Amino acid sequence: MRNPGSIVALSLLLAGPAGVRAADVADPGIGQADNPFLELAFDELMDIALIGKGESRQVQTISREDTRLLLPGTSPFKALEKLPGVHFGAADAWGNYEWSMRIGIRGFRQGQLGFTLDDIPLGDMDYGNNNGLSISRALIAENLERIELAQGSGAVGTASNSNLGGTLRFHSREPTPEAGLVLGQTLGENNSSRTHIRAELGQHGGWSGYLGLVRHRTDKWKGFGEQAHDQLNGRLQYRFGEHRVWGFYSLSRRKEADYMDLSLDSRRRLGWDWDYYIPDWQRALDAAAGELRGGVTSIDDAYFSGRGLRDDDLASLGAEFNPRDDLRLRATAYHHRNDGQGHWYTPYNASTNGVPISIRTTEYYIGRGGIVASLTWKRGRHEVQTGLWYEDNRHEVSRNFYDVSGPAITDYFLRDPSREVYAHRIETRTLQLHLRDRITFLDERLTLDIGLKSLDVDSRSRALVGGSSRASGRLQTRDALLPQVGARYRFADSGWEFFSSYSENIAAFTAGRDGPFSATQAAFDATVDALQPETSKMLEAGVRYSSERLIASAAAYAVEFNDRLLNIAQCVGIIGCANSFANVGTVDTRGVELTLRWQANARLSWLNTLSHNDSQYADDYLDGTIVRATAGKDVVDSPRRLFASELVYRHGALEARVAAKFTDKRYYTYVNDGSVPAFWRLDAGLAYQWPEPGWPRSVRLQLNATNLFDARYFATVGSNGFRPSDPAGTNYTLLAGAPRQLFLSVEMEF
C-alpha cells in the first residue's frame, strides 16, 4: 500500500439502540466474535452486537428489535444507514424501488460489495443483476433477524466474488417454539397497502417452521402507475441433539412502475414532480414527432412509460452437525432462478406498424446453484476453520423491441418481439476456498486472526443473437493467495479495546450487461489481453469503549483500489449502445468513522455516527482520443461526510423514534463538473403495544412519517450511469427522493 505508515487508527464506532442482540453467526470469519463453542452471558452478546466487541475489524449488527420502529416493509439497506460509513439512497419511502436503490460503503459502490443471506450468495445486487437478487426480493422484511455489516473487509469465508469493500450478511428469523398467527396491515398515502401474514407451526418432536406471505401495493408518489410486490417465505427445521437440518424457500413476484430519470437541467425547467407522460399517450406521440411543449425541450425529458418486472424463486437446504464439543460442520446447498424484463417506451425506434414509438426491453435470466460449506475445529488456543464455496451460474441477457398500437400498462412479460438486437449467454463457474485461524492469548485479552482465501472465477460468453454487437469470449479471475490478518487487544476490565486488520481482495469481472462482454466484439478483442481484475488493499484500526451508559468507537482506514474498470457509455441510456471498457487506474481512499451511543437511562438512548471519507481517482484516463483529467477528483456518488443521529424512547407499551440523516454533496461526473447538493432527511416512528390484551395475544399500533420535514433532494445519482463530464447538466441519471409520507400500521398476534 502507499504510505502505510501514515495511517493512524482511532476508532470510536458503534451502536444500535437497546434491543440489539447477537445470535449464532453461521460462518465465522476473520475477526468474527461468534464462537460456537464458547458460552457467553447475554450482556456480553449484546455488547458484541453493539460495538463489535472481540472483533479485530469494524463489524456491527442491526437486529430485528432494532428495526421494529421503521415503516413495515422497509429495505434492510435503509435500516443500515445510521451506521458509520454507510450511504444509501432510494426514490421511494420504503427504499425498495430497485431502479433507484443504491448502497455505498467507504467509497465502494453496491457492485463492489458482498452480500449473503443465511450463507447463500446474493451476488452484487446491481439492477441488471447477473448473479443474484436484491435482499428485498430474497426475504420478507418482517422475517429479517439481523444484519452483520463489515465496513472494511468481510469475513474471509463470505461467499462473494465482488467484495472489494465491505460485506453485508443477512440472517432470516428462526421458527418460534410456540404455534401462532401474526397478521399485519399497513395503510398510507398514495393508496399504499401492505398485508403481512405469518403462521408459526410451533415445535413438535424437534420439528418447527413458519410460512409467511406479503402483498404490497402502492401508487407512485408522483406521476401514474403502481408498484406491486408479492412474496412467500417458508422455513422448515428439524433439530436432533446438537444437530439440525433445515429447508428454506422464497418466492418473489415484483412489478414496479418506474420514475422518470431527471437531469439537473430538466429538474430546473420541469420541477421535482416531473415524470413520464403516462397516461397522456397523445403527448408521447407528439414528442416522438418532435412536437415538444410545456417546458419540454428535449425528447429525453420524458417517455411514455417505464417498468421493471422480476420473478424469483430461491431454495436452500442446510445442515449443521456438532459431533463433538470442539467440532462443527455446516453446509448449505442452494438454487436460484430469476426471470426479468425492463420496459421502456422509446421514441428512438418506431413500431413496424408505423407508430413512432416501440417498447424496448432488456430481458434477463439467471439459473444458478451451488454449495457453501465450512468445518470449524477448536483446539487449545486455536479455532481453525476451512471452507469452500462453489457455484455454477447460467445468465442470459437480451435486447428486444416490441410493436405497440396504443397505450398499455405492460405489467406482464412480453413475448415474440418484432426485432431482436442481441442475446447473450454467459456461463460462470466460481470456486472459493478459505482457511483461517483465531488464536487467543493472555486469558483471551489478545486475539490474533490469520486467514487466507483463494478465488477462481471463469466466465464464458456466447452470442445467441446479434453477433459482434456484443462480445463473445472468456474472462478469468484468479488469485490463489488473498490474505487477511487482524489483532484485537482488551485492556483488562477497563472497557477499552484496540483492533486492527489488513486484507487484500479481488473482484471477478462483471459477467453481465455492464461488464466487458457489453462491448462490441472488436472493442473486446482489442482490450481483453490488457484487462486486469479489480483489486483492493485495506488497512484499518481503531479503539472501542463500552460501559453501562456509554458505548463508543473510532476507526480510521486506508484503501488502495487498483485496476479500476470503467464502463464508458457511448449514448443516452434508452438507446442502449454497446459500451467501451477500460482500465483507468487507481483510487486512493482515506477515512475516519466515529460513533457514540449514550444510554441516558433504561428508557432513552441516543446514537450518533459521523463519517469522513476521502475517495479520489489517482490517474487520468484516455477516453478514445480525449484525456479525461480525473486525477485528484472525488469518486462519483461518494459523499465526503455522513452524519446520522437517532433518538429512541421506550417506556412500557410506548416506543418512539426520531432519526436524522445528513448526506454531503455527491458528484455524478468523473471530472467533478456535475454534482447534486447535500441534504438532510428526518424520519419518525411512534408505536403502542397493548399489554396483555387477552385475545389476540398482542396488538400493536404504529404511526410512521418518512421525510418528516418534506425535504426536496436527489436520492439517487447514477441511475443511468456516469459520464466523464456534464457541464450543462443534461445527463438524465438522477432520481428525486420521496416527499413526506404518513403510514398507519396494526399488527396482531394470535
Side-chain angles (χ1 to χ4, degrees), residues 448-471:
L448 299 180
D449 291 308
I450 304 170
L452 297 170
K453 74 175 178 180
S454 170
L455 184 67
D456 186 343
V457 183
D458 191 326
S459 295
R460 301 170 189 246
S461 171
R462 180 165 63 92
L464 305 177
V465 175
S468 60
S469 66
R470 294 296 188 276

Side-chain angles (χ1 to χ4, degrees), residues 548-582:
E548 183 178 351
R549 292 290 181 89
L550 191 65
I551 297 176
S553 167
Y557 58 89
V559 184
E560 185 179 283
F561 173 17
N562 293 309
D563 296 307
R564 182 174 65 94
L565 298 180
L566 184 63
N567 184 6
I568 305 171
Q570 302 298 304
C571 60
V572 296
I574 198 168
I575 297 178
C577 305
N579 299 315
S580 62
F581 214 77

Side-chain angles (χ1 to χ4, degrees), residues 313-359:
D313 294 272
L314 176 66
S316 68
L317 181 64
E320 183 177 284
F321 300 102
N322 296 275
R324 301 193 320 233
D325 290 343
D326 61 351
L327 193 65
R328 182 182 69 167
L329 172 65
R330 182 182 174 96
T332 302
Y334 63 91
H335 178 77
H336 171 223
R337 177 189 171 96
N338 165 265
D339 289 290
Q341 284 190 356
H343 298 174
W344 237 346
Y345 278 77
T346 174
Y348 286 94
N349 293 84
S351 295
T352 59
N353 57 15
V355 175
I357 294 173
S358 64
I359 297 178

Side-chain angles (χ1 to χ4, degrees), residues 2 564 584-587 616-621 628-632:
R2 300 182 182 180
R564 182 174 65 94
V584 293
T586 298
V587 174
Q616 295 186 355
Y617 302 117
D619 307 287
D620 297 338
Y621 75 92
R628 301 295 185 182
T630 53

Side-chain angles (χ1 to χ4, degrees), residues 236-283:
L236 186 64
Q237 181 169 278
Y238 179 66
R239 288 184 178 271
F240 52 105
E242 299 299 316
H243 319 296
R244 61 174 178 148
V245 294
W246 66 89
F248 176 79
Y249 174 68
S250 174
L251 175 146
S252 171
R253 301 293 183 261
R254 187 167 182 84
K255 303 174 183 179
E256 45 184 37
D258 285 327
Y259 291 94
M260 186 65 209
D261 302 285
L262 302 174
S263 68
L264 290 179
D265 178 60
S266 70
R267 207 287 308 167
R268 282 191 294 264
R269 287 183 287 107
L270 302 166
W272 290 102
D273 292 338
W274 179 249
D275 202 46
Y276 286 95
Y277 290 132
I278 186 171
D280 193 342
W281 176 245
Q282 187 58 51
R283 189 174 184 186

